[in-house]
Amino acid sequence: MDPTSAAVIVLGILVALLFAAGAGLYRRIRELELATYNGIGVRFGAGQDEQARSAVTTPNGTTLVVKVNRQCSICDDVLLAIGKLAPQLPADHSFAVVSDDPGFDKSLPGEVRVIRDPAIWRSVTVPYTPALIIVGADGLVVFTAPLGSGDALVDVVERAILRRREAHT
C-alpha cells in the first residue's frame, strides 16, 4: 500500500472517531439540559404517597428542598451554605435536606428539616445531586437546579427570595 492511501485511511478513521465522539457529547449535553428542567410545573412527589410529600414540603410556605447523598464531595460545602442561610430566610421559606443516608449526622440549624429516608430520597426525581428544588406553597415545583457549590446555592436562594419580595410589592 502506498503512503498516500494509508494516510487517507488513517485520517478517515480519525474523522469517524471525532464524529462519534461529537455525537456522544451532543447527546449527553441534551440529556443534562433536559434534566435541568425535570419536574417544573408538576406537583412535588407526584405519584408518591401523601406522607412522603408532607414530610418534605410545608403547606404554608416555600420549601427549598436540597437533595444530597452520602458519596457526594460537594454536598458538604452545600450543607455549610444551608447552615449559614437557614437563620436568614424569611418566615415563609424553609429548608428541607433529603439524604439517602439513614445515619446522616451533619450539624445543621434546628429550622432545617432533615429527612433521612432512602425511599423519600428516591422520590425526589431530579437525576443529579446535590440538587435544589424550590416547591411553592401549593406543592408545585417552580425551580430545579444542580448545585456545583455552596456559593451556587447562596446565589439561587438569594435570587428566589428577591423575586418573591418583588412579586409582593
Side-chain angles (χ1 to χ4, degrees):
M1 178 180 298
D2 69 281
T4 304
S5 298
V8 169
I9 291 171
V10 169
L11 287 175
I13 292 171
L14 288 175
V15 167
L17 288 173
L18 284 173
F19 179 75
L25 183 61
Y26 177 75
R27 183 186 58 114
R28 185 68 181 139
I29 288 171
R30 291 292 298 158
E31 287 174 357
L32 290 172
E33 183 182 46
L34 292 172
T36 303
Y37 300 104
N38 186 22
I40 293 177
V42 299
R43 190 149 315 278
F44 182 80
Q48 304 297 321
D49 63 80
E50 184 62 34
Q51 184 179 8
R53 185 179 314 129
S54 64
V56 177
T57 61
T58 54
N60 56 351
T62 302
T63 306
L64 307 168
V65 181
V66 179
K67 181 181 180 181
V68 298
N69 70 11
R70 62 183 116 186
Q71 298 162 339
C72 170
S73 60
I74 299 170
C75 293
D76 290 336
D77 185 37
V78 170
L79 292 171
L80 286 173
I82 290 171
K84 292 176 185 170
L85 281 172
Q88 303 169 6
L89 286 179
D92 63 340
H93 285 64
S94 65
F95 271 111
V97 173
V98 181
S99 175
D100 65 337
D101 185 5
F104 183 88
D105 62 351
K106 306 292 185 197
S107 175
L108 291 170
E111 56 264 6
V112 177
R113 285 175 289 118
V114 178
I115 294 97
R116 299 172 178 91
D117 186 347
I120 293 176
W121 185 85
R122 284 188 299 275
S123 74
V124 179
T125 58
V126 292
Y128 39 79
T129 56
L132 173 67
I133 301 98
I134 300 178
V135 183
D138 54 0
L140 291 179
V141 174
V142 295
F143 182 79
T144 67
L147 298 173
S149 68
D151 292 336
L153 173 70
V154 170
D155 289 343
V156 172
V157 170
E158 286 176 350
R159 278 187 283 152
I161 292 171
L162 183 63
R163 272 194 208 137
R164 177 114 169 127
R165 285 184 188 147
E166 289 173 353
H168 287 297
T169 57

